[in-house]
Amino acid sequence: RFSLLLLNLEEYYFEQHTANHIINIGCRDERKCRGSLKICSKSIIFEPDDNIQPIIKIPLRDCISIKAPEDNEANNPFTRDTSGGISVVCNQVFLIKERNIIAPYKTVRGRMEHLLQLDVVGKLGDVVQTLHQLYRASCLDKMGDQAAMITAILQSRLARTSFDKNRFQSISETLHMECKAEMVTPLVTNPGHVCVTDANLYFQPLNGYPKPVVQITLQNVRRIYKRRHGLMPLGLEVFCTENDLCSDIYLKFYNCQDRDELYFLIATYIENHMTEHTAESYMLQWQRGHISNYQYLLHLNNLADRSCNDLSQYPVFPWIIADYSSSVLDLTKPETFRDLSKPIGALNKERLDRLLTRYQEMPEPKFMYGSHYSSPGYVLFYLVRVAPEYMLCLQNGKFDHADRMFNSLAETWKNCLDGATDFKELIPEFYENDSSFLVNSLKLDLGKRQGGKMVEDVELPPWASGPDDFLQKSQEALESQYVSEHLHEWIDIIFGYKQKGSEAVAAHNVFHPLTYEGGVDLNSIMDPNEKVALLTQILEFGQTPKQLFTIPHPRRIIPKLKSLSRTSSHSVSIAESPVSPNEESFEDLTEESITLAWNNIAKLKLDEQYKIHKEAITGIAVTCNGSSVFTTSQDSTLKMFSKESKTIQRSVSFSNMALSSCLILPGDTTVISSSWDNHIYFYSIAFGRQQDILMGHDDAVGKICWRDGRLYSASWDSTVKVWHCVPGETLSNKKHHFELLAELEHDVSVNTIDLNAANTILASGTKEGTISVWDVTTATVLHQLPCHSGTVFDAAFSPDSRHLLSAGEDCCFKVIDVQTGMLISSVTADEPQRCFKWDGNTILSGSQSGELLIWDLLGGKVIERIKGHTGAVTSMWMNEQCNSVITGGEDKQIMFWKLQY
């Protein structure tokens, strides 16, 4: 029956002793009640063994005297019995859980004496001494002085004890670190000793409660987060699951160094076993539909210091549904949903106008909302039916007034729209599968409402047939198309760039300065009383999540629905069909075959290989029918290789400088090669001769692209140039006519470029690791990011052009969201990847050592390694169906790869 929730906030439970509580002292019906005496930092608690009897809590500040009666005292009730007694005289006690029922505490006032008789008489002196110390602390006027004295008592107890090594799972375990810490659960912290070995993490509570030792096997750890606890960087939370809301242990340390050292030990252990996730890597998975809206919000909450173990930083979830009156919930109508681009306080224009008027007249520091959208009180408002003891702990043994309880969803939503000080969002439980928080299954007496009605289950909207159905429909709403299209707007407000500064003002999203991370520096406050008061205020008021994004959050990629879905196409007659069946199926088949190919890309097998150059191969281009393969090399030649006869049919040299890339123009009549001699060469396949030279740059040309009659050239002269090419008449000697349309200026040499599918956006990668994203139509830079340290080897847009992947000399792959320019993923390889192809989820890359690697980008790991070249893979070509690949390497070879499935 006893739990740490019976303590006051910020109170510690030190020790327990078996004892008798002597009732009706000196009367005829005097009797003993057996139980356990708990000594806590602000109270004495007696828990009877008999469940019918109430737990007695005596606040130390209400005590008049605490003493062990002397033997020679006349009228000593103990002289008849054994010694070992403590007399506590007080003027107020709380009776809790009488008949084992959870209910508001009963208060008994008036002078009274309680006699407590310890089983072990020898401990009497120590117990009385401890109680006197704690009693002195509780009598101090100021909270700060009280806290300081209790902390000193606690620290001296911790210093006198250490972790019991007999608790190790195995005698062969090696100790890596031991320190003092507190285990954190909602509203409660429990001091003890932490120990990390090469196999386990242990926590041993000082009081042995709730069990002598908590053990976590390091091999089971999946995630670990540093936490801000009570505004200080002292927390650490460990999860043994991938997607659970609740962690396995939350620890709070007494100094930052201990926390960081333990984090390092566990993180190092995990790193050898798994990859660490960042907000960005989850974003990519979310954008591509690999994790749900619910899972993504859960991960963001986690990364923003929100934890189920800290009610002042509980995970925040949005109100999604705005309709609590219809009999049917229509998720196809936008008006069913709340506007996710605004905070709760800005949803009702009239209320917002009143708040803004007040805001304008307010002296600095100004804020729009006097209360927060997440606080301990709000969390327990929603959870009181399943966590009544937490509510009693938070509210000093009382429930809230019955009319202020969570009685009905419609009422609560209406109050969030209209209430002068109610701006609360929801908690994750509204989108999970356990509906017990909506039902008063514990049969709690939560009071009577004004109309005389008792507070029972939460009243649900008409469209829900019951609590489970309500949660099911809430989940469907959260995962609906409307929410998927707008969720990024809510993320901008809660976790993103509209959380602070001028953007927050513009979005009407300004809360009290104390609620923001860094809003107050507790270390700079010298007065302990001021510090305690401020901390209490902040923890009760609620805290804004840590800011995760400082630029607009990318939107989710919503798959375009086909005009006819595959299932319905059979029931639609051909006459009604908007698309001719052949056309659609052809497009579908191409898409399906590409998906199939990428799903099986790990089954790539080497078909043939040929050594055709004298130096590394730099470019590969193939004619439409696949019969001829053109390659360029650092040996300065362009070669034409016949797939059928397996022979070189042409070998051309334009100068004695290396060639860097090649491509074939539509129609298969002309090959263009770029060279380190600053020129671009046009070679006529039909006439077997050099047709033209474009002398367009002042340094080597590294890469060329051709799209829709335009040539794009990237050069070491720090420019990318866009040319319009008007071909010469083939038979006469008239040359191509080149018109320079645009010049994209960079600070350093440009190594690689790529264009999106619509040819409107160009990406360039430089020798110093910068990625730039350009609007080709206006020749302006949209985003510029220092992505890599060292050269960018290759960069390419995803097929849907939403993301840009780059590979660099620093062994990293980086993914950029094209719309916002946000770096959303980074994956590190164990060597540089020189070239790659990708479909948005999977990467086929050519490595420095010559292997072909297949990556699951979202999981950030290699799923297959295929032996290939004996030197770096320097060039890669893939056909449109994605089932045939040609690679070129530093070993002067070209290799033909086929998918076999």
Side-chain angles (χ1 to χ4, degrees):
R1 286 197 299 164
F2 171 77
S3 102
L4 297 177
L5 292 167
L6 302 185
L7 278 55
N8 294 5
L9 292 175
E10 305 291 313
E11 184 175 8
Y12 296 110
Y13 162 40
F14 285 139
E15 57 190 60
Q16 69 159 346
H17 303 276
T18 46
N20 288 318
H21 179 217
I22 298 178
I23 301 169
N24 302 332
I25 307 156
C27 302
R28 235 188 322 209
D29 57 348
E30 172 183 310
R31 58 193 172 87
K32 288 181 181 178
C33 174
R34 273 212 59 78
S36 152
L37 170 68
K38 324 273 184 188
I39 298 179
C40 308
S41 58
K42 296 179 183 178
S43 57
I44 303 169
I45 292 177
F46 182 78
E47 177 190 17
D49 293 345
D50 178 0
N51 276 352
I52 304 294
Q53 298 295 329
I55 293 173
I56 298 168
K57 177 178 175 178
I58 308 172
L60 286 167
R61 65 164 190 273
D62 293 325
C63 289
I64 298 162
S65 73
I66 300 170
K67 59 184 180 186
E70 297 299 319
D71 285 338
N72 55 7
E73 275 183 19
N75 191 19
N76 178 1
F78 286 107
T79 46
R80 298 188 311 279
D81 210 319
T82 57
S83 54
I86 302 168
S87 153
V88 180
V89 180
C90 60
N91 51 30
Q92 174 167 279
V93 299
F94 297 108
L95 305 180
I96 303 169
K97 280 193 181 175
E98 192 166 1
R99 303 190 178 279
N100 210 16
I101 294 166
I102 299 170
Y105 303 169
K106 284 185 183 158
T107 311
V108 180
R109 293 192 177 87
R111 187 184 168 103
M112 61 199 102
E113 182 179 11
H114 291 268
L115 274 172
L116 300 157
Q117 193 174 39
L118 301 186
D119 276 12
V120 182
V121 180
K123 291 193 176 165
L124 185 65
D126 289 345
V127 170
V128 172
Q129 191 184 353
T130 301
L131 287 173
H132 281 166
Q133 262 187 328
L134 295 168
Y135 174 60
R136 279 200 300 279
S138 69
C139 292
L140 295 170
D141 287 344
K142 294 183 172 167
M143 293 299 291
D145 298 340
Q146 281 187 29
M149 186 164 169
I150 289 169
T151 302
I153 295 168
L154 169 65
Q155 289 302 330
S156 97
R157 282 179 162 251
L158 284 168
R160 292 198 305 271
T161 53
S162 66
F163 186 86
D164 176 6
K165 309 292 187 293
N166 295 323
R167 294 278 175 192
F168 282 177
Q169 287 286 300
S170 137
I171 47 170
S172 59
E173 276 181 71
T174 313
L175 175 67
H176 284 321
M177 173 188 180
E178 181 183 347
C179 67
K180 301 178 286 191
E182 294 177 9
M183 189 164 114
V184 178
T185 49
L187 302 180
V188 169
T189 64
N190 200 10
H193 296 276
V194 168
C195 221
V196 185
T197 68
D198 51 358
N200 293 293
L201 165 68
Y202 298 97
F203 175 75
Q204 187 171 28
L206 191 61
N207 50 30
Y209 179 87
K211 52 184 182 180
V213 73
V214 178
Q215 177 233 337
I216 285 171
T217 309
L218 292 181
Q219 224 169 346
N220 296 341
V221 174
R222 287 288 160 272
R223 295 174 290 145
I224 175 167
Y225 299 96
K226 290 182 178 178
R227 294 277 185 240
R228 210 171 27 132
H229 187 271
L231 297 198
M232 303 292 277
L234 299 171
L236 186 73
E237 194 162 20
V238 179
F239 290 79
C240 292
T241 53
E242 205 45 78
N243 289 317
D244 268 18
L245 186 58
C246 295
S247 65
D248 291 75
I249 194 166
Y250 185 140
L251 295 168
K252 173 201 162 189
F253 295 82
Y254 295 113
N255 63 64
C256 199
Q257 293 80 350
D258 284 349
R259 193 274 305 263
D260 291 349
E261 188 181 338
L262 192 82
Y263 177 85
F264 176 76
L265 284 170
I266 299 179
T268 312
Y269 185 93
I270 297 177
E271 244 168 59
N272 301 333
H273 299 77
M274 55 175 298
T275 51
E276 193 188 0
H277 286 298
T278 56
E280 288 78 24
S281 65
Y282 287 124
M283 187 195 297
L284 184 63
Q285 293 187 45
W286 172 71
Q287 268 194 294
R288 295 227 163 257
H290 287 245
I291 57 175
S292 63
N293 290 338
Y294 167 80
Q295 286 171 315
Y296 186 46
L297 288 176
L298 208 57
H299 289 309
L300 291 184
N301 270 291
N302 241 322
L303 291 162
D305 270 347
R306 312 302 285 187
S307 162
C308 291
N309 281 313
D310 183 351
L311 295 187
S312 69
Q313 299 190 84
Y314 202 78
V316 193
F317 269 61
W319 282 96
I320 293 288
I321 298 167
D323 173 0
Y324 294 94
S325 56
S326 305
S327 55
V328 177
L329 186 67
D330 185 349
L331 296 179
T332 60
K333 291 195 324 207
E335 49 274 27
T336 300
F337 298 93
R338 163 256 179 110
D339 181 347
L340 287 162
S341 67
K342 295 175 179 168
I344 291 288
L347 291 175
N348 173 343
K349 188 165 180 334
E350 283 173 35
R351 174 176 68 176
L352 180 65
D353 289 343
R354 289 198 299 274
L355 291 166
L356 288 177
T357 307
R358 193 191 69 173
Y359 173 73
Q360 259 105 45
E361 294 162 357
M362 198 182 275
E364 289 293 343
K366 295 168 175 280
F367 51 89
M368 293 173 191
Y369 309 116
S371 69
H372 206 258
Y373 50 77
S374 169
S375 71
Y378 290 161
V379 173
L380 296 176
F381 167 84
Y382 291 127
L383 296 181
V384 64
R385 289 169 178 80
V386 284
E389 291 187 79
Y390 291 87
M391 180 65 103
L392 292 172
C393 175
L394 188 73
Q395 307 221 59
N396 301 319
K398 298 184 198 68
F399 287 133
D400 209 343
H401 187 282
D403 286 300
R404 286 199 298 268
M405 284 275 187
F406 179 30
N407 290 307
S408 131
L409 271 143
E411 253 177 55
T412 303
W413 171 243
K414 186 179 182 307
N415 209 43
C416 288
L417 288 183
D418 306 340
T421 59
D422 194 349
F423 313 109
K424 59 180 166 285
E425 290 280 9
L426 294 182
I427 53 175
E429 282 76 359
F430 280 83
Y431 303 103
E432 291 179 350
N433 299 320
D434 182 358
S435 61
S436 55
F437 74 100
L438 298 168
V439 184
N440 185 11
S441 52
L442 295 173
K443 299 283 176 269
L444 301 165
D445 179 357
L446 296 171
K448 198 175 277 188
R449 303 189 62 181
Q450 266 175 346
K453 201 171 164 219
M454 295 300 287
V455 175
E456 283 297 337
D457 299 348
V458 178
E459 207 175 296
L460 301 171
W463 46 257
S465 62
D468 290 343
D469 183 55
F470 169 76
L471 290 193
Q472 174 69 35
K473 291 196 165 86
S474 298
Q475 288 171 20
E476 285 166 17
L478 179 61
E479 303 304 333
S480 66
Q481 174 141 357
Y482 177 89
V483 174
S484 289
E485 285 170 1
H486 295 279
L487 189 59
H488 63 281
E489 299 172 327
W490 186 80
I491 293 170
D492 282 336
I493 290 168
I494 306 294
F495 303 105
Y497 81 113
K498 291 184 177 176
Q499 194 198 80
K500 293 177 183 170
S502 58
E503 292 287 357
V505 177
H508 305 126
N509 192 34
V510 183
F511 293 87
H512 194 286
L514 285 181
T515 65
Y516 295 95
E517 184 176 26
V520 61
D521 176 11
L522 283 181
N523 290 327
S524 67
I525 299 170
M526 287 306 144
D527 180 350
N529 302 303
E530 193 187 333
K531 193 182 271 191
V532 168
L534 197 61
L535 190 57
T536 308
Q537 185 186 345
I538 290 166
L539 298 185
E540 281 178 13
F541 192 88
Q543 288 169 268
T544 302
K546 183 163 65 195
Q547 190 173 18
L548 298 176
F549 311 105
T550 51
I551 59 173
H553 188 286
R555 51 185 61 217
R556 195 169 197 189
I557 299 169
I558 311 293
K560 289 188 186 65
L561 293 168
K562 290 264 162 63
S563 43
L564 278 178
S565 73
R566 285 196 187 88
T567 45
S568 65
S569 58
H570 304 300
S571 57
V572 179
S573 74
I574 297 297
E576 298 167 346
S577 166
V579 182
S580 83
N582 294 346
E583 250 177 72
E584 167 152 91
S585 58
F586 179 73
E587 204 170 273
D588 269 7
L589 282 172
T590 314
E591 210 168 289
E592 263 180 30
S593 67
I594 289 173
T595 307
L596 185 65
W598 274 104
N599 287 343
N600 289 282
I601 201 84
K603 296 175 181 159
L604 211 52
K605 296 281 183 287
L606 181 59
D607 192 26
E608 301 168 278
Q609 63 192 86
Y610 304 97
K611 190 168 179 176
I612 57 172
H613 280 280
K614 294 192 174 89
E615 292 291 339
I617 289 160
T618 56
I620 303 171
V622 183
T623 52
C624 281
N625 60 11
S627 63
S628 299
V629 178
F630 286 86
T631 55
T632 49
S633 164
Q634 286 184 7
D635 66 8
S636 83
T637 62
L638 166 70
K639 296 196 192 268
M640 174 179 166
F641 180 82
S642 161
K643 188 88 170 48
E644 277 103 60
S645 67
K646 302 179 179 171
T647 55
I648 296 171
Q649 297 191 322
R650 309 259 174 95
S651 181
V652 190
S653 219
F654 303 112
S655 76
N656 58 0
M657 297 282 276
L659 296 178
S660 57
S661 70
C662 62
L663 55 88
I664 300 177
L665 293 191
D668 285 353
T669 58
T670 307
V671 179
I672 313 179
S673 302
S674 56
S675 169
W676 285 7
D677 69 1
N678 315 354
H679 304 338
I680 298 165
Y681 296 93
F682 287 69
Y683 174 80
S684 163
I685 301 173
F687 293 97
R689 60 183 162 78
Q690 178 182 316
Q691 204 176 340
D692 222 330
I693 302 182
L694 169 55
M695 299 181 188
H697 287 279
D698 302 325
D699 203 338
V701 181
K703 175 97 186 263
I704 48 175
C705 292
W706 179 278
R707 299 282 180 89
D708 284 350
R710 293 187 175 181
L711 176 69
Y712 302 82
S713 57
S715 165
W716 299 0
D717 67 4
S718 310
T719 66
V720 173
K721 291 183 177 176
V722 185
W723 312 88
H724 181 52
C725 299
V726 184
E729 291 163 27
T730 319
L731 289 168
S732 74
N733 269 334
K734 279 194 181 166
K735 304 282 188 190
H736 279 72
H737 171 62
F738 300 109
E739 181 193 345
L740 180 62
L741 297 178
E743 188 170 328
L744 313 178
E745 292 277 357
H746 296 68
D747 298 331
V748 292
S749 302
V750 185
N751 200 52
T752 185
I753 50 171
D754 189 44
L755 280 118
N756 68 345
N759 307 328
T760 51
I761 297 177
L762 176 142
S764 59
T766 69
K767 294 224 164 172
E768 289 188 0
T770 304
I771 294 279
S772 304
V773 179
W774 301 81
D775 179 341
V776 182
T777 47
T778 58
T780 51
V781 72
L782 300 172
H783 313 294
Q784 201 160 35
L785 288 95
C787 277
H788 298 273
S789 50
T791 302
V792 180
F793 285 135
D794 201 357
F797 287 94
S798 55
D800 61 9
S801 302
R802 296 290 296 265
H803 293 129
L804 175 73
L805 177 68
S806 59
E809 199 179 348
D810 55 4
C811 307
C812 288
F813 281 118
K814 302 277 174 139
V815 182
I816 292 169
D817 180 79
V818 176
Q819 176 210 351
T820 58
M822 189 184 283
L823 181 64
I824 60 170
S825 185
S826 179
V827 176
T828 308
D830 40 22
E831 59 174 338
Q833 303 300 302
R834 295 287 294 271
C835 51
F836 65 82
K837 299 289 173 195
W838 76 310
D839 72 337
N841 301 314
T842 309
I843 310 169
L844 168 68
S845 68
S847 69
Q848 184 76 34
S849 63
E851 281 184 310
L852 295 191
L853 301 184
I854 290 145
W855 297 80
D856 164 16
L857 178 60
L858 303 172
K861 56 184 184 285
V862 176
I863 42 185
E864 192 66 59
R865 292 172 180 271
I866 303 170
K867 275 208 144 357
H869 295 264
T870 53
V873 184
T874 48
S875 188
M876 186 182 286
W877 172 89
M878 183 183 250
N879 67 343
E880 209 176 319
Q881 287 74 40
C882 306
N883 57 14
S884 170
V885 173
I886 304 172
T887 55
E890 270 179 359
D891 59 3
K892 308 157 199 171
Q893 299 201 76
I894 54 168
M895 293 186 168
F896 291 83
W897 304 82
K898 275 236 173 342
L899 262 192
Q900 297 181 342
Y901 55 86

